[in-house]
Amino acid sequence: MTRHEAREVAFIITFEKSFLSDLPLSEIIECAQESEFFEVNNYVLRTTKGIFENLEAIDKTIGSNLVGWTAKRISRVASAIMRVAVYELLFSEEKIPVGVAINEAVEIAKKYATNEDASYINGVLGAIAKKSEA
């Protein structure tokens, strides 16, 4: 499994959790592990657990960098994509390069969302990256 594929699985689990907020993350991960369609490797486990351990800070970071939008107007797809990227940018111990985290998020958005979403995600993540470097 490539890192890109692992990011997609982390995104899918994060997206699914947005619909199943009452279900423990561990159950969603367990279902993904049992599925023949997904491989849940260590990166996926660390990332999804890390996202939800830091969810309040991640969502606050995203929300404070939205231009012309509120968090409630962002689609669940775009939100899940940005959560994965912001986790990588700010919380991952693996020190993912900024350009890689943003590019991967944009590529996932192009696949699962719209080109407009991809462009918007790129802008929001770019703003977050600039602030985190300062």
Side-chain angles (χ1 to χ4, degrees):
M1 168 181 266
T2 66
R3 181 57 63 97
H4 178 78
E5 292 167 333
R7 280 185 183 93
E8 279 193 59
V9 174
F11 150 71
I12 290 166
I13 290 171
T14 302
F15 177 70
E16 185 170 355
K17 179 74 170 132
S18 73
F19 288 97
L20 303 171
S21 58
D22 292 340
L23 196 63
L25 179 63
S26 60
E27 287 186 35
I28 295 170
I29 290 171
E30 186 178 318
C31 287
Q33 289 171 321
E34 292 172 357
S35 168
E36 63 185 68
F37 302 106
F38 301 110
E39 179 182 337
V40 179
N41 64 15
N42 287 334
Y43 167 83
V44 173
L45 291 173
R46 280 190 311 273
T47 300
T48 54
K49 288 178 182 178
I51 289 166
F52 290 98
E53 287 169 0
N54 297 286
L55 188 60
E56 187 175 323
I58 290 169
D59 285 351
K60 184 177 179 181
T61 299
I62 293 168
S64 67
N65 287 280
L66 298 176
V67 178
W69 290 77
T70 63
K72 290 182 180 186
R73 285 189 65 199
I74 301 298
S75 72
R76 288 182 193 216
V77 171
S79 178
I81 292 168
M82 288 191 284
R83 284 174 172 173
V84 173
V86 171
Y87 172 78
E88 285 188 330
L89 290 170
L90 303 180
F91 297 99
S92 177
E93 293 178 10
E94 295 183 48
K95 303 301 178 204
I96 308 298
V98 171
V100 170
I102 293 172
N103 186 59
E104 288 286 313
V106 169
E107 291 304 312
I108 291 170
K110 287 178 182 176
K111 182 174 181 179
Y112 291 96
T114 67
N115 285 335
E116 292 81 19
D117 286 333
S119 180
Y120 191 77
I121 288 168
N122 185 48
V124 172
L125 296 177
I128 291 168
K130 284 180 187 176
K131 288 180 183 177
S132 70
E133 291 174 354

